[in-house]
Amino acid sequence: MQKFGIGQPVKRVEDVRFITGAGAYTDDLNLPNQAHAVVLRSPFGHAKINSIDTSMAQEAPGVIAVLTGADVEADGLGTLPCLAPVPNADGSEIVMPPRPLLQSDRVRFVGDTVAFVIAETVNQAKDAAEMIEVDYEDLPAVGTIETAEADGAPLVWDQAPGNVCLEWAMGDEAAVNAAFDNAAHVTKVDLIHNRVVVNAMEPRAALGEYDASDESYTLRTSTQGANSLQGVLGGMVLQIDPSKLRVFTPDVGGGFGMKTFAYPEQALVLWASKKIGRPVKWTGERSEAFQGDSMGRDWLTHVELAIDSDNRIQGMRVNNRCNLGAYLSQFAPFIATASPGRILGGVYKIPAIHVSVTGLFSNTVPVDAYRGAGRPESAYIIERAVDAAAAELGIAQDEFRAINFIPPEDMPYQHPLSFVFDTGEYNRNMEDAKRNAGWDTFEARKAESRARGKLRGIGMAYYIECTLGGPSEAAEINFLEDDKVEIITGTMSNGQGHETAWAQVVVDQLGVPFENVTLVQGDTDRVKTGGGTGGSHSLYMAAGAFQETSNEVIKKGKIIASLMLEDEPQNIDFEEGLFKVPGTNKSVGIMEVAAKAREVDELPGDFKEMFVDGLNSSGIYEYSTSTFPNGCHICEVEIDPETGKTDVVGYTVVDDFGKVINPMLVAGQVHGGVVQGLGQSLTENCVYDPETAQLMTGSFMDYGMPRADDICDIDFSYNEILCKTNPYGIKGCGEAGTIGACPSSINAILDALREFGVTAIDMPATPLKVWQAIQDGTRQAAE
């Protein structure tokens, strides 16, 4: 095994830069003579714009320009696109309204963009923004799913009657109906998937620069993939040749899906830079993140399970109503429909599944992918329903799951809605998790809690997700003069540790010194194509691309090594960084071969053209199918019945991520994901007033982010059950922690409250909700 190769817990090399203050985020970047911009945002959830008077703002000290929607229209800029439409169930097109960069006639959510003020300083731009007089005519609004779908509800878009954007379905409805007709027992559960604000540590920012000499643009901005943004902003919004736009992403302080998408401010700084002839910088503040960043979740679900006399689930029926917000964000229709729909039913052998989805417009911030992108909702649906069924049937929650698991001998397993699961040992992972969590000794801990006047509950969830990759990923490996090995790919780290993990992959493939490897990412001038980071696909896509590239390096290296070792290329072997002639002691290291390959003038004539770039090579890995990370989460909670306060006192995870490249990085990803999931289930809740669509939770004063003392130590382990659809057997891990945390924690709370007759509680399970559930249960028992 290579030192620092695959499977070793190598410390993150990028952390030295980050913890010593040497990281460079978008707001750290500045250009000579740059101006600063501020966005004027709508204070109304829904309003007609009668007029916009910018005259006072234009005359304010330091102001360079004040731009409005009329200017956007005059310059012929495009709108922000939705890139993932889905057909309605009847085959018709969904409603896809435009989203201009700046609104000129109507605003549709609090935070909608109205004007862009550019000044010498940020404070001057802020002062000028306050001088803009906008004549708003307040209109009736809809702030929730319930108000949006109510009879006679105000319309967000005239072309969307009933505020319906889409009506989508998947599955064999007839087979599902037959399963319910023959069921011995039917379980029905209603669920709320609460809306959450992403709140990445680093707010969004953008620095735009226009070069009149060649009519090119440069955008420096925080993203999860520069290449996709180049196409969207360049080709669709600015309506230029995308190659004329360079997108550069420095260090990124968290993304969680939200930084995948194009936003108005990114296009506005580029456009404004051209108009004023200077670089323009915009940095969002935390309050703007609450009002302008895409949000996550916000569904209402009704789910039913049809169970036979042997306690096996034979059918599943799901109806989701999804709040899409005021506009369709980039992937919003897919996130509400096919992304979760294809994986409904989880790890259970359910022959018939049908899901229907209604996507609704509302006067709220648009909703899109948030860590898990529909798969946490899918897992929450099945795992809450499975737990409810077990309780209704009087079967232990682990036993009911074991009865219904897809067994290993059924692999590959054709899921009834879409995918083929290639590998999975679900019962093994569950039993390991039970052992690690002390499942069999829980009753003793419960008794100890009761002696202190506390309630204790234990909950389980078994998740599976389908990663979202494709269609391909490219990579380059360059051997530089100073013996550095430069690796390039189109993924984009936003906290995952790519600089470390990608180097480990290349070290394993080529045996180059780990400390010599540097990663280039996030620059469309250097990275010509790439799928970015999201959907837990980055590792297996990048590893596949680096393998293709490494094979090309080795192929070229054998030619050079044959000259150095005086043998034929076909007689040269390569292993752990050495080119060798088998059966002899003749060998030469890859770095020596790379140096020789750079000496093009000294190579025989036939080789000069072949090695004009030395050993430098490129390759492309083609996506074939999704992978299916899975695992068992067990959460243990203690509740104070007097206050409803819930403490997470135990958390255990056993995952199957296929081949693990770096156990330390994987543990970090799981820990962070679990905390995000527990945040949603226990503390986080984005609330809009139902009738005015005013944002009621617009700061950390009102929005409950999870804190360190809300979380216990997390016991994490894994079983390497390799997948069969990519070279390394990697399944992916970035979103898994979040997917299992919500159902396991809510199931644990319900287990603790079961003695009060409580069978349902909605996220977030705040102290008030838990206390009220106890009071309601006590009162009903007394009656």
Side-chain angles (χ1 to χ4, degrees):
M1 178 183 291
Q2 286 285 340
K3 183 180 181 183
F4 303 127
I6 287 176
Q8 299 186 43
V10 180
K11 291 184 178 179
R12 291 172 24 138
V13 296
E14 50 268 69
D15 284 351
V16 174
R17 183 171 80 252
F18 294 146
I19 65 177
T20 58
Y25 300 88
T26 302
D27 190 53
D28 294 319
L29 307 182
N30 294 287
L31 295 173
N33 199 34
Q34 74 184 18
H36 297 267
V38 164
V39 178
L40 178 67
R41 301 181 184 277
S42 168
F44 293 95
H46 196 196
K48 180 182 177 183
I49 298 176
N50 291 322
S51 64
I52 303 175
D53 185 350
T54 64
S55 56
M56 289 182 61
Q58 296 274 14
E59 299 301 320
V63 170
I64 302 166
V66 180
L67 304 174
T68 66
D71 300 306
V72 171
E73 293 171 6
D75 283 4
L77 297 182
T79 58
L80 292 176
C82 171
L83 300 180
V86 297
N88 281 316
D90 63 4
S92 63
E93 294 183 356
I94 66 174
V95 179
M96 295 178 60
R99 184 181 182 183
L101 302 180
L102 296 170
Q103 310 308 319
S104 57
D105 60 349
R106 187 175 293 200
V107 289
R108 288 178 166 83
F109 67 91
V110 171
D112 212 350
T113 52
V114 176
F116 199 58
V117 183
I118 304 109
E120 298 292 345
T121 69
V122 172
N123 287 335
Q124 288 174 333
K126 286 182 177 181
D127 290 343
E130 293 182 357
M131 299 178 187
I132 298 174
E133 296 183 2
V134 184
D135 180 10
Y136 292 107
E137 182 182 330
D138 196 8
L139 297 173
V142 289
T144 64
I145 292 173
E146 294 90 341
T147 52
E149 66 184 2
D151 291 341
L155 297 183
V156 181
W157 295 96
D158 293 341
Q159 62 267 46
N163 290 310
V164 174
C165 167
L166 60 87
E167 293 180 307
W168 179 90
M170 175 182 271
D172 187 337
E173 189 171 14
V176 169
N177 290 340
F180 277 88
D181 289 343
N182 296 316
H185 178 84
V186 173
T187 291
K188 300 180 180 181
V189 180
D190 290 299
L191 303 170
I192 293 176
H193 310 262
N194 45 318
R195 178 181 281 237
V196 291
V197 180
V198 176
N199 279 319
M201 187 178 294
E202 176 208 18
R204 291 188 298 109
L207 174 56
E209 180 182 18
Y210 176 72
D211 186 343
S213 67
D214 61 358
E215 299 183 327
S216 66
Y217 298 80
T218 299
L219 174 66
R220 297 165 176 86
T221 189
S222 183
T223 77
Q224 290 178 230
N227 296 92
S228 62
L229 209 61
Q230 182 186 40
V232 171
L233 293 177
M236 298 182 180
V237 180
L238 297 177
Q239 299 188 357
I240 60 173
D241 181 344
S243 67
K244 285 288 187 179
L245 171 61
R246 177 192 182 191
V247 179
F248 175 78
T249 296
D251 290 324
V252 180
F256 313 114
M258 177 268 293
K259 289 181 181 173
T260 302
F261 319 120
Y263 289 90
E265 299 87 354
Q266 293 165 323
L268 289 171
V269 295
L270 293 167
W271 172 58
S273 177
K274 180 178 181 180
K275 293 187 78 70
I276 72 170
R278 294 169 58 178
V280 176
K281 183 176 184 178
W282 170 83
T283 299
E285 297 183 353
R286 184 58 62 185
S287 61
E288 291 183 280
F290 276 88
Q291 295 182 35
D293 294 356
S294 67
M295 294 185 182
R297 318 302 189 222
D298 204 350
W299 296 9
L300 298 177
T301 293
H302 177 75
V303 53
E304 300 178 0
L305 298 181
I307 303 165
D308 67 15
S309 57
D310 294 325
N311 297 322
R312 296 186 183 277
I313 307 169
Q314 297 297 329
M316 181 179 184
R317 181 185 289 141
V318 179
N319 174 255
N320 293 323
R321 293 130 68 206
C322 304
N323 189 345
L324 300 173
Y327 306 92
L328 289 183
S329 184
Q330 208 157 305
F331 301 123
F334 174 76
I335 300 305
T337 57
S339 179
R342 297 177 302 174
I343 205 75
L344 274 172
V347 294
Y348 306 106
K349 193 171 183 178
I350 306 176
I353 301 174
H354 183 266
V355 53
S356 59
V357 177
T358 301
L360 295 155
F361 290 114
S362 70
N363 295 113
T364 62
V365 169
V367 174
D368 210 315
Y370 170 70
R371 197 170 190 172
R375 284 99 78 204
E377 294 93 321
S378 183
Y380 191 68
I381 291 168
I382 184 61
E383 289 302 310
R384 284 290 310 278
V386 162
D387 238 49
E392 291 169 4
L393 294 167
I395 303 172
Q397 52 182 305
D398 56 325
E399 180 184 349
F400 186 65
R401 286 179 169 84
I403 291 170
N404 285 282
F405 277 150
I406 303 164
E409 57 268 24
D410 281 9
M411 300 294 174
Y413 174 78
Q414 175 65 62
H415 186 277
L417 293 183
S418 180
F419 292 109
V420 174
F421 298 167
D422 58 324
T423 60
E425 298 182 21
Y426 311 136
N427 198 64
R428 170 188 171 187
N429 294 331
M430 182 181 74
E431 290 300 323
D432 286 352
K434 287 168 57 181
R435 182 183 64 252
N436 295 350
W439 184 271
D440 293 339
T441 57
F442 168 73
E443 291 300 327
R445 296 190 297 278
K446 183 174 183 177
E448 189 273 332
S449 293
R450 188 177 297 280
R452 292 184 286 104
K454 301 292 181 70
L455 308 173
R456 202 174 187 104
I458 193 166
M460 174 186 290
Y462 202 111
Y463 79 91
I464 189 169
E465 67 156 321
C466 55
T467 59
L468 303 175
S472 64
E473 190 61 70
E476 296 180 33
I477 299 176
N478 299 321
F479 293 82
L480 308 182
E481 294 282 351
D482 58 0
D483 279 346
K484 293 294 184 183
V485 180
E486 180 185 75
I487 61 174
I488 302 174
T489 190
T491 59
M492 183 68 224
S493 180
N494 43 99
Q496 294 91 345
H498 289 184
E499 291 177 48
T500 304
W502 283 202
Q504 287 182 259
V505 169
V506 174
V507 167
D508 187 80
Q509 292 166 343
L510 294 178
V512 295
F514 178 83
E515 61 275 10
N516 289 25
V517 180
T518 59
L519 173 65
V520 175
Q521 58 180 348
D523 184 350
T524 57
D525 271 9
R526 299 295 315 279
V527 184
K528 297 305 181 183
T529 183
T533 290
S536 299
H537 76 278
S538 296
L539 180 54
Y540 68 80
M541 293 296 291
F546 281 126
Q547 185 181 65
E548 295 293 328
T549 308
S550 294
N551 289 340
E552 185 63 22
V553 169
I554 294 167
K555 179 181 175 182
K556 293 169 70 175
K558 285 184 177 181
I559 296 172
I560 298 297
S562 71
L563 298 176
M564 299 172 73
L565 300 175
E566 300 179 335
D567 211 316
E568 295 298 319
Q570 62 268 28
N571 294 334
I572 305 295
D573 286 347
F574 179 78
E575 185 179 1
E576 295 191 354
L578 288 177
F579 292 93
K580 304 184 237 182
V581 178
T584 74
N585 62 357
K586 295 165 64 176
S587 66
V588 60
I590 190 170
M591 301 307 291
E592 297 171 77
V593 171
K596 182 67 175 177
R598 286 194 297 270
E599 299 172 357
V600 179
D601 292 338
E602 298 181 16
L603 295 177
D606 293 346
F607 297 110
K608 291 186 186 295
E609 185 175 345
M610 182 185 301
F611 291 97
V612 66
D613 293 322
L615 287 192
N616 297 352
S617 299
S618 61
I620 295 177
Y621 176 71
E622 300 291 343
Y623 168 82
S624 59
T625 187
S626 291
T627 62
F628 304 97
N630 62 88
C632 185
H633 287 224
I634 295 176
C635 180
E636 196 163 328
V637 300
E638 190 175 71
I639 297 173
D640 184 340
E642 299 299 318
T643 65
K645 184 177 185 298
T646 299
D647 292 321
V648 179
V649 294
Y651 205 96
T652 302
V653 183
V654 175
D655 279 314
D656 164 20
F657 295 141
K659 185 66 179 177
V660 170
I661 302 299
N662 185 319
M664 187 182 298
L665 297 187
V666 168
Q669 287 292 295
V670 172
H671 292 168
V674 166
V675 171
Q676 281 188 274
L678 292 177
Q680 182 180 355
S681 67
L682 299 178
T683 66
E684 297 185 52
N685 195 27
C686 181
V687 178
Y688 282 88
D689 183 274
E691 296 181 353
T692 66
Q694 281 293 323
L695 178 61
M696 309 301 290
T697 52
S699 76
F700 291 146
M701 291 291 290
D702 305 298
Y703 187 89
M705 291 289 283
R707 303 179 181 227
D709 61 357
D710 293 327
I711 312 298
C712 64
D713 287 341
I714 298 170
D715 183 325
F716 165 68
S717 61
Y718 58 88
N719 291 317
E720 287 190 326
I721 302 164
L722 305 188
C723 100
K724 298 179 180 180
T725 56
N726 61 67
Y728 283 100
I730 296 166
K731 293 183 179 178
C733 72
E735 297 160 303
T738 306
I739 298 172
C742 290
S744 65
S745 54
I746 294 297
N747 285 343
I749 292 170
L750 289 173
D751 182 62
L753 301 182
R754 193 155 284 127
E755 63 186 81
F756 296 97
V758 177
T759 59
I761 195 165
D762 293 317
M763 298 188 292
T766 60
L768 176 59
K769 282 186 185 177
V770 173
W771 180 84
Q772 190 64 59
I774 294 172
Q775 304 312 305
D776 291 346
T778 302
R779 183 173 58 256
Q780 291 172 8
E783 294 172 354

